[in-house]
C-alpha cells in the first residue's frame, strides 16, 4: 500500500528513537504498564508518533486493564489500516497508521461495555498526545 508519508528506512531511523523505531517500524511491543500515555485522562487527541496524523480522541479512551492505552474507535475509519496478523501462532488484527504505515498495536473484539465492542490496544510509544478542550 502507498502511504502519504513515504520515507526510507534510513530516514525513519534518523527521525525516531531506537525504541520508537522498534515499535513503529518493526512492529514491536512496549512492555505493559510502562507507557507514558496509559493513565492520560486529559481531553485531547492522540496522534501518530511517526507522522502526527490524528488517530484517536480522548473521549474514546477507556481503562481495559490490559496495560496499554485502549480506545473503542479511531477518530475516523480512514485514520487506521487494519491488517491480518498471523505471527506468534495466532490470528490478530494489526493496527497501522493509514498515513505512514507505522505499527500502532492491535484491535480486539473484547471491548465489553463500549459502544463498538472493540479494544484498540495501542503502544504509548506509537502515540503523541495533544491536549484540547472537550468537544
Amino acid at each position: 500500500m502507498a502511504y502519504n508519508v513515504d520515507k526510507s528506512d534510513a530516514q525513519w531511523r534518523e527521525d525516531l528513537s531506537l525504541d520508537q523505531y522498534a515499535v513503529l517500524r518493526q512492529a514491536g511491543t512496549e512492555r505493559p504498564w510502562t507507557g507514558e500515555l496509559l493513565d492520560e485522562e486529559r481531553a485531547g487527541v492522540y496522534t501518530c508518533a511517526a507522522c502526527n496524523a490524528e488517530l484517536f480522541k480522548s473521549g474514546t479512551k477507556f481503562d481495559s486493564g490490559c496495560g496499554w492505552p485502549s480506545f473503542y474507535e479511531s477518530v475516523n475509519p480512514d485514520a487506521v489500516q487494519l491488517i491480518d496478523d498471523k505471527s506468534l501462532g495466532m490470528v490478530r488484527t494489526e493496527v497501522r497508521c493509514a498515513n505512514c504505515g507505522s505499527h500502532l498495536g492491535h484491535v480486539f473484539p473484547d471491548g465489553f461495555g463500549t459502544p463498538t465492542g472493540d479494544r484498540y490496544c495501542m503502544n504509548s510509544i506509537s502515540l503523541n498526545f495533544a491536549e484540547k478542550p472537550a468537544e
Side-chain angles (χ1 to χ4, degrees), residues 27 81-85 92-96 103 105-107:
Q81 178 186 21
L82 305 179
I83 299 171
D84 285 343
D85 176 0
R92 302 178 292 172
T93 302
E94 179 185 4
V95 180
R96 290 186 189 174
H103 173 78
H106 290 85
V107 62

Side-chain angles (χ1 to χ4, degrees), residues 80-123:
V80 296
Q81 178 186 21
L82 305 179
I83 299 171
D84 285 343
D85 176 0
K86 297 177 182 172
S87 65
L88 303 178
M90 65 181 96
V91 178
R92 302 178 292 172
T93 302
E94 179 185 4
V95 180
R96 290 186 189 174
C97 173
N99 193 52
C100 71
S102 290
H103 173 78
L104 304 170
H106 290 85
V107 62
F108 303 96
D110 61 4
F112 306 114
T114 68
T116 64
D118 290 329
R119 174 175 57 97
Y120 285 80
C121 184
M122 303 292 97
N123 290 285

